[in-house]
Amino acid sequence: MATDPRDLDAFEQWASKVELRLFADSSGPTLTVSEQIAAKVGDRIVAGSLAPGARLGEQELADEFATSRGPIREAIRILEREGLAVVLPRRGAEVTSLSAAELRDLFEVRAGLYEIVVRKLAETRAPELLAVMRGGVARLESLVEDPTGGDAYAETVHRLMQISARFAGNERLRRMMAALSLQSLRYSKLGLASVERRRRSVRLWKQATKALERGDAEQVMLLARQRAQDSAEAASRVLGDAGVPT
């Protein structure tokens, strides 16, 4: 069945409000210099242009952003707090390495939070949300067979989950989901890199959307757990192939 263009429009409108970056939810009028730098460096880490283990030299960053080392140190502390950087004795700061242990922890917590979201959504079955979900699934379908579509697919999944959290009507829950999203997105990109994985993922998203339309919270949660497990296992295999202990 062809996708209703109105569903696609609904998804795109909501997706444009979800920024996958640090301080996207900041309620303040402006960000400090350190926060701006942390956001820009965080973008590079999540995008993969700064690889795990890459050095974050204070002087190099100070030169790049035309500032002193003080704001750079604070920016690195922010990145460390968000799980994107680590400061090592006698080595300085570097991008956090991906690990199977962190992968399991992040996906377990995210799955638990999403189950709370699903229960709230199944109670209301807001027509606007259902339209957004159908449009989002259509967007996912358009990326499945694209050999280079893995990153965009993973980002669309994260946007769908954050949009769902907004409709749940719990601001603290939404913020917790958003905070976890940046930390887990790097792993999601690994887990959804293959066309085969995306084919299975989009099938589960379709089934979940239909279950949500019926108000079947248990089925939606079961499918969400299956998606998370599949993605975590796929990412873990990639890490294992790269020599990361599992």
Side-chain angles (χ1 to χ4, degrees):
M1 182 181 296
T3 303
D4 188 331
R6 291 172 296 183
D7 292 346
L8 281 170
D9 288 344
F11 169 72
E12 294 299 340
Q13 288 175 17
W14 274 93
S16 67
K17 302 175 185 178
V18 179
E19 293 188 65
L20 301 176
R21 66 195 318 261
L22 290 176
F23 305 111
D25 289 331
S26 177
S27 58
T30 58
L31 298 178
T32 67
V33 171
S34 296
E35 289 170 341
Q36 292 177 48
I37 294 170
K40 290 177 180 177
V41 176
D43 286 347
R44 298 174 191 174
I45 294 171
V46 173
S49 55
L50 277 175
R55 183 173 177 274
L56 300 174
E58 289 184 7
Q59 190 57 56
E60 292 90 336
L61 290 172
D63 292 343
E64 177 183 350
F65 291 104
T67 187
S68 65
R69 294 174 72 158
I72 298 299
R73 292 192 188 101
E74 179 58 27
I76 289 172
R77 280 193 286 268
I78 292 169
L79 292 168
E80 187 174 29
R81 183 186 69 208
E82 297 296 331
L84 298 176
V86 61
V87 179
L88 302 172
R90 296 183 296 279
R91 289 176 56 183
E94 61 182 44
V95 177
T96 50
S97 297
L98 300 177
S99 75
E102 182 185 51
L103 164 66
R104 287 189 292 268
D105 290 347
L106 285 173
F107 276 67
E108 181 179 6
V109 173
R110 192 180 72 166
L113 291 175
Y114 192 62
E115 288 190 9
I116 300 173
V117 170
V118 167
R119 287 194 182 279
K120 290 182 172 292
L121 298 181
E123 293 172 0
T124 59
R125 285 184 285 170
E128 184 179 6
L129 172 63
L130 296 176
V132 169
M133 294 294 290
R134 290 190 296 267
V137 169
R139 171 63 175 151
L140 291 176
E141 283 189 288
S142 73
L143 296 166
V144 167
E145 302 298 329
D146 182 351
T148 63
D151 284 4
Y153 187 100
E155 290 168 4
T156 301
V157 165
H158 279 249
R159 285 190 167 90
L160 268 175
M161 294 182 72
Q162 288 197 43
I163 292 168
S164 298
R166 294 187 182 203
F167 273 91
N170 184 316
E171 181 62 15
R172 184 175 293 275
L173 177 61
R174 184 189 70 78
R175 287 184 176 275
M176 292 172 70
M177 288 284 292
L180 275 176
S181 185
L182 269 186
Q183 297 177 42
S184 59
L185 182 54
R186 292 192 294 167
Y187 293 100
S188 294
K189 288 180 177 181
L190 287 180
L192 292 164
S194 74
V195 170
E196 181 181 354
R197 269 289 301 120
R198 296 197 295 275
R199 286 173 181 163
R200 175 168 170 77
S201 170
V202 79
R203 285 197 298 270
L204 294 175
W205 272 104
K206 286 181 179 179
Q207 293 170 24
T209 301
K210 291 185 181 299
L212 186 60
E213 289 175 332
R214 299 192 303 269
D216 188 346
E218 295 301 324
Q219 181 67 6
V220 178
M221 287 190 292
L222 177 65
L223 292 164
R225 285 195 292 268
Q226 187 62 62
R227 287 198 315 271
Q229 180 179 333
D230 287 353
S231 190
E233 289 177 353
S236 184
R237 284 194 295 272
V238 174
L239 291 175
D241 291 343
V244 176
T246 59

